[in-house]
């Protein structure tokens, strides 16, 4: 869940890939994603996540639950697919939703690393469709302000390494304050990742 720090209201949901293994239990993405990438299965995983995310949002709507938007992480492989925009448009329509309910999450390392033209075109097309664009793990990939503007980013997600311990570490607090000031001056929304302690929530 993504929560407004001032009101406590749920403003969105982020979709996360997890593997529930019958013997090993819950396996984190850092263990299974490299194997999927090596097998060329990242786009298949992305399509599965997208279908489940949009289906969940539609189901919540049907139950009268207020979840404004749902966020889905997109791999470099997916963003490099020339058919991404029309495929997403069709999936959103099938789910009976509108594009503004979908948040496309892009890793900072993708935009900071000089994205190829297909990725640039896809992100532009998704923004024109009405999808929101989030810059994920901000602070870890050296994205410039120029990159943020070029890719129509609407919100930065402050990496959890900056958020952890913000309630008792003055340096952490200063870093997050600087990021929030920058976001405010650029007219961007901001979201802190991985808030797990009441003290962290209170300081944010």
């Amino acid at each position: 869940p993504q929560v407004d720090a001032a009101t406590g209201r749920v403003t969105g949901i982020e979709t996360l890939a997890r593997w529930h293994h019958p013997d090993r239990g819950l396996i984190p993405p850092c263990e299974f994603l490299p194997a999927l990438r090596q097998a060329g299965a990242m786009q298949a995983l992305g399509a599965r996540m997208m279908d489940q995310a949009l289906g969940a949002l539609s189901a919540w709507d049907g139950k009268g639950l207020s979840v404004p938007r749902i966020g889905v992480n997109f791999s470099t492989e997916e963003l490099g697919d020339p058919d991404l925009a029309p495929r997403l448009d069709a999936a959103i329509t099938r789910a009976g939703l509108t594009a503004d309910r979908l948040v496309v999450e892009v890793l900072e390392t993708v935009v900071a690393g000089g994205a190829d033209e297909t990725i640039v075109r896809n992100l532009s097309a998704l923004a024109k469709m009405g999808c929101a664009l989030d810059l994920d793990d901000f602070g870890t990939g050296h994205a410039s302000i120029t990159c943020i503007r070029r890719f129509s980013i609407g919100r930065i997600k402050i990496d959890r390494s900056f958020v952890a311990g913000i309630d008792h570490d003055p340096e952490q607090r200063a870093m997050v304050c600087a990021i929030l000031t920058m976001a405010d001056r650029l007219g961007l929304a901001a979201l802190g990742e991985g808030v797990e302690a009441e003290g962290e929530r209170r300081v944010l």
Side-chain angles (χ1 to χ4, degrees), residues 14 46 92 137 142 178:
E14 179 181 357
I92 292 167
D137 297 342
H142 312 294

Side-chain angles (χ1 to χ4, degrees), residues 58-114:
S58 181
W60 291 328
D61 283 353
K63 293 179 179 180
L65 299 175
S66 178
V67 179
R69 306 191 302 178
I70 198 158
V72 180
N73 292 280
F74 281 71
S75 67
T76 306
E77 292 88 344
E78 290 176 278
L79 292 172
D81 177 7
D83 297 322
L84 177 63
R87 186 163 54 81
L88 272 189
D89 191 34
I92 292 167
T93 301
R94 278 197 309 273
L97 301 168
T98 54
D100 62 314
R101 306 283 304 280
L102 176 65
V103 181
V104 176
E105 301 197 5
V106 185
L107 284 171
E108 187 184 13
T109 49
V110 172
V111 299

Side-chain angles (χ1 to χ4, degrees), residues 101-156:
R101 306 283 304 280
L102 176 65
V103 181
V104 176
E105 301 197 5
V106 185
L107 284 171
E108 187 184 13
T109 49
V110 172
V111 299
D116 67 30
E117 283 307 308
T118 303
I119 293 177
V120 173
R121 283 196 301 272
N122 276 337
L123 291 176
S124 176
L126 294 175
K128 287 178 181 174
M129 277 170 50
C131 297
L133 300 183
D134 275 10
L135 188 60
D136 206 6
D137 297 342
F138 184 80
T140 62
H142 312 294
S144 67
I145 292 174
T146 304
C147 284
I148 293 173
R149 286 298 186 216
R150 181 187 183 200
F151 291 99
S152 304
I153 299 298
R155 179 169 67 175
I156 56 174

Side-chain angles (χ1 to χ4, degrees), residues 186-203:
L186 293 174
L188 300 170
L191 182 135
E193 296 181 332
V195 180
E196 296 181 351
E198 172 58 24
E200 293 168 350
R201 186 206 65 78
R202 189 173 59 250
V203 171

